[in-house]
Amino acid sequence: MPKSSRTEPEDAILLDGVSKSFHYSSHRDGSVREWFIRKLTGRPSRATYEFFRMSGIDLRIARGESVALLGDNGSGKSSLLRIIAGIYTPTSGRVERYGRLATVLELGAGFHSALSGIENIGLSASVMGMRHREIEESIPDILAFAELGDSIRVPLKYYSTGMRARLAFAIAMAVQPDILLLDEVLAVGDQAFQKKCIGRIRGIQADGATLVYVSHDLESAAKLCDRAILMREGRIVEDGPTGRVLQAYEIGR
């Protein structure tokens, strides 16, 4: 993809030359022996190691496109989604997003466990850019979709994973996003909840929203997305029609 400061108006997401390094720190022990070794060798008490790198990511997603990010665990697909969301800052390169963004990552990331469900609606929706009046008007629809009953007044720390998923998804849908980022949201909950989620996703797709969807459920990826991207070891290795990319994924396993 040619590098340019100009972005066509039909773009929803643009990544240009994006790289991201992930590191961990190793602390050496504090023994007297170790202290003498450090003094003699000049070895630091803390060592930093790179354990994963994403590199050379060039990606353009048009408005209204629905794209599945596929790959084995550790391939970088969820990290890429978090770069698109702005949760991770790239080490280098450019990331641009156009329009209101709604995310459902890690099923309730950004919730406050000490607050009740109803309080978390206000907190999460405001973070996603909704105004106070919009939030107030959306609460009945959020409550109806989440179907949490009286539990909506209970602190979130007492919620099951499925209850958190219902609330997180209901809030994201109420935002009426231009761009929707989903990470394994359909992996929890019963079939009725999954069917309702897919119906709501279909609705925002019909309204022209852009979807980027991470899942190990290849069937749902095929249903929801007409384009797929396959990642391996932090790189994009396939990008094209979902059927073709799914075939490449299965062959490479």
Side-chain angles (χ1 to χ4, degrees), residues 37-44:
I37 292 173
R38 290 203 310 269
K39 279 292 185 181
L40 291 172
T41 63
R43 193 167 66 181

Side-chain angles (χ1 to χ4, degrees), residues 75-206:
S75 62
K77 59 188 184 300
S78 290
S79 295
L80 178 57
L81 198 70
R82 282 154 179 74
I83 288 173
I84 294 172
I87 296 170
Y88 291 165
T89 301
T91 306
S92 61
R94 179 166 59 108
V95 180
E96 296 183 6
R97 299 166 294 272
Y98 303 93
R100 177 180 274 182
L101 182 73
T103 64
V104 186
L105 310 179
E106 296 175 352
L107 294 179
F111 281 163
H112 195 299
S113 62
L115 299 179
S116 68
I118 193 71
E119 290 169 328
N120 270 290
I121 289 174
L123 174 65
S124 185
S126 63
V127 168
M128 291 185 191
M130 291 183 74
R131 297 183 176 89
H132 180 72
R133 178 177 292 181
E134 288 180 293
I135 296 170
E136 290 295 319
E137 292 174 350
S138 298
I139 284 177
D141 186 55
I142 293 171
L143 297 180
F145 189 93
E147 295 182 347
L148 293 174
D150 293 339
S151 296
I152 200 67
R153 306 287 176 186
V154 173
L156 220 73
K157 61 185 176 183
Y158 299 113
Y159 279 29
S160 67
T161 300
M163 291 167 71
R164 283 176 174 254
R166 287 176 179 272
L167 186 60
F169 193 89
I171 295 169
M173 294 300 99
V175 170
Q176 298 181 336
D178 300 304
I179 302 170
L180 177 62
L181 308 180
L182 300 178
D183 191 351
E184 297 288 4
V185 68
L186 300 181
V188 299
D190 54 29
Q191 289 187 343
F193 171 69
Q194 293 177 12
K195 184 177 180 180
K196 187 174 5 178
C197 287
I198 289 173
R200 190 64 67 95
I201 292 169
R202 293 285 194 201
I204 70 158
Q205 287 175 315

Side-chain angles (χ1 to χ4, degrees), residues 66-70 182-188 194-195 197-199 201-202 205 211-228 242 246:
S66 295
V67 181
L69 299 182
L70 306 176
L182 300 178
D183 191 351
E184 297 288 4
V185 68
L186 300 181
V188 299
Q194 293 177 12
K195 184 177 180 180
C197 287
I198 289 173
I201 292 169
R202 293 285 194 201
Q205 287 175 315
L211 171 67
V212 185
Y213 177 51
V214 169
S215 180
H216 288 289
D217 181 356
L218 304 185
E219 184 178 346
S220 68
K223 285 180 179 178
L224 292 171
C225 303
D226 50 17
R227 175 184 172 191
T242 303
L246 285 173

